[in-house]
Amino acid sequence: MAESFSEIGKIEAIEQLYRLSAYSPVNGLSYTSAKGGKVTTAARMYLEGIDFNLVYFPLKHLGYKCVVGVVGELYAARARPKLLNVVLGISAKLDFPQIKELWMGVTVAAKEHGFEAVNLDLQPSNNGLFLSMSATGETSLLTEKRRMAAKSMDLICVSGSLGAAYLGMQVLERGAKQFQSDGQQPDMGQYKMLVGSYLRPELESGVVEHLEDAEIYPSYGYFVTRGLSDALKRLTRDSGLGAKVYADKIPFEGNSFALGKELDMDPLSAAMNGGDDNRLLFTIPILHLEKFRREFQTFDVIGHLAQAEVGAVLVTPEGLEFPVKAQGWPEKDA
């Protein structure tokens, strides 16, 4: 009987496909440049109806967000953005002024994050709008040389609130259903920050330079877009170490718990598995704790690496430890 994707999960499916080829899985595509630095590429496809809903997603915000979605992968690899390649698949329902709005968002984000060149291609699409983004960046030789091996008790740090984007999306989905049923435009002012976290995520453009100036060299970096659980699973897999994250240290947007109660949804679950947060996660040597807190005040320390046998665990305020489960991972690893 043929296996389904729901049975094996995304991660195992990818590994099985690799085993059919002459290649091995990699954590981001990269190679060493002539100057000794590392060149990294990041790519992502955004599909209408799966990654975004044009009923409530402003096209300018969409273009901006899609650039953030790939530049964050470069920052996680401590790479400065260089080149951006954009392919827009355009359906017949969109006219040229709308595509200009979309492109405006792309170029605003590209300029903000320092891309030196942007390439654009347009393609027809029979199945709604899609955006294909591919970014290239370079990590300096100094950063590559000074990156230290990860150790137990290295700090796990994230660049802002988690779960906010998923909760914001739920507000927008609820509003869209309300509008369809009664024609009334819902008031979302109370949850403006949560909605903004989903529609137009912010990411510090100078984070790579800031790390180098502060002489802080993370052992690992990840871009959190599929929930904190997924990032932790990747961290423990890649480092060969365990990880402990403390529930009462995870940062939340101010209205998260009020909205969670309203939607009958746990903000902690949204943070762990909701996805779309567009946050950076770094592991930092514990000796750099005070310097990191002083230099990177938008980051929160939420846990630390541990011995391998610990695995990835979430620690409650009462001290109970629960194994982290992540969507897309096989049950034995999830």
Side-chain angles (χ1 to χ4, degrees):
M1 184 176 178
E3 289 181 296
S4 67
F5 276 99
S6 61
E7 291 175 324
I8 63 176
K10 172 184 171 181
I11 303 302
E12 177 64 21
I14 291 173
E15 290 181 355
Q16 286 192 28
L17 291 171
Y18 265 112
R19 287 197 287 271
L20 297 174
S21 73
Y23 297 96
S24 300
V26 292
N27 184 30
L29 295 173
S30 63
Y31 64 91
T32 303
S33 70
K35 295 181 180 180
K38 187 173 75 174
V39 176
T40 299
T41 63
R44 184 167 175 184
M45 178 83 78
Y46 293 86
L47 304 172
E48 182 181 351
I50 296 177
D51 298 299
F52 59 89
N53 186 342
L54 288 182
V55 170
Y56 53 72
F57 215 126
L59 287 165
K60 188 173 182 179
H61 286 356
L62 178 61
Y64 185 97
K65 180 177 180 176
C66 290
V67 175
V68 170
V70 288
V71 78
E73 298 288 356
L74 298 183
Y75 290 155
R78 282 75 76 202
R80 290 181 171 86
K82 297 292 183 182
L83 308 174
L84 178 66
N85 189 62
V86 180
V87 180
L88 303 180
I90 304 168
S91 66
K93 68 180 180 181
L94 294 175
D95 56 28
F96 187 58
Q98 290 174 306
I99 296 305
K100 287 197 290 186
E101 278 292 303
L102 183 68
W103 177 242
M104 182 77 68
V106 169
T107 55
V108 166
K111 184 175 181 180
E112 182 178 308
H113 290 282
F115 282 99
E116 297 175 2
V118 181
N119 181 60
L120 172 65
D121 191 19
L122 305 178
Q123 298 287 343
S125 169
N126 289 328
N127 298 305
L129 176 66
F130 73 80
L131 300 90
S132 174
M133 318 293 290
S134 178
T136 303
E138 186 170 8
T139 306
S140 71
L141 177 60
L142 180 65
T143 293
E144 275 298 286
K145 282 187 172 181
R146 294 194 176 181
R147 175 187 169 190
M148 300 175 65
K151 296 179 180 179
S152 178
M153 298 309 294
D154 278 3
L155 305 173
I156 300 173
C157 312
V158 293
S159 64
S161 60
L162 297 172
Y166 184 76
L167 291 170
M169 183 186 71
Q170 297 305 311
V171 171
L172 290 164
E173 287 287 344
R174 183 180 64 176
K177 291 177 182 176
Q178 178 184 332
F179 182 77
Q180 289 173 350
S181 65
D182 58 22
Q184 297 295 314
Q185 193 71 35
D187 180 13
M188 300 185 186
Q190 182 181 358
Y191 301 119
K192 182 178 179 181
M193 296 298 291
L194 295 169
V195 170
S197 294
Y198 175 69
L199 293 179
R200 196 179 187 279
E202 300 290 338
L203 201 59
E204 181 188 344
S205 59
V207 64
V208 174
E209 291 84 352
H210 194 176
L211 285 167
E212 290 182 352
D213 290 345
E215 297 184 327
I216 296 174
Y217 303 97
S219 50
Y220 282 92
Y222 296 89
F223 194 42
V224 183
T225 59
R226 303 182 186 94
L228 178 59
S229 293
D230 176 80
L232 293 174
K233 298 298 291 184
R234 293 176 188 276
L235 172 59
T236 54
R237 178 194 64 186
D238 298 341
S239 67
L241 294 168
K244 288 189 177 186
V245 166
Y246 296 84
D248 57 355
K249 299 296 184 183
I250 295 174
F252 293 95
E253 183 58 50
N255 284 338
S256 293
F257 288 91
L259 178 60
K261 186 176 181 180
E262 193 176 309
L263 296 175
D264 193 24
M265 184 177 295
D266 182 8
L268 180 59
S269 295
M272 298 302 292
N273 293 298
D276 230 359
D277 278 313
N278 289 268
R279 300 300 189 191
L280 290 167
L281 181 151
F282 290 125
T283 52
I284 304 295
I286 194 169
L287 293 176
H288 291 160
L289 173 59
E290 294 306 319
K291 183 194 291 187
F292 188 80
R293 280 180 167 164
R294 183 174 65 251
E295 295 287 339
F296 293 86
Q297 296 182 17
T298 60
F299 278 73
D300 288 272
V301 179
I302 62 171
H304 58 82
L305 294 178
Q307 296 300 319
E309 57 269 20
V310 171
V313 297
L314 178 68
V315 184
T316 70
E318 296 76 27
L320 300 175
E321 298 183 358
F322 293 95
V324 167
K325 298 181 182 294
Q327 295 179 9
W329 292 78
E331 191 62 33
K332 62 183 176 63
D333 296 324

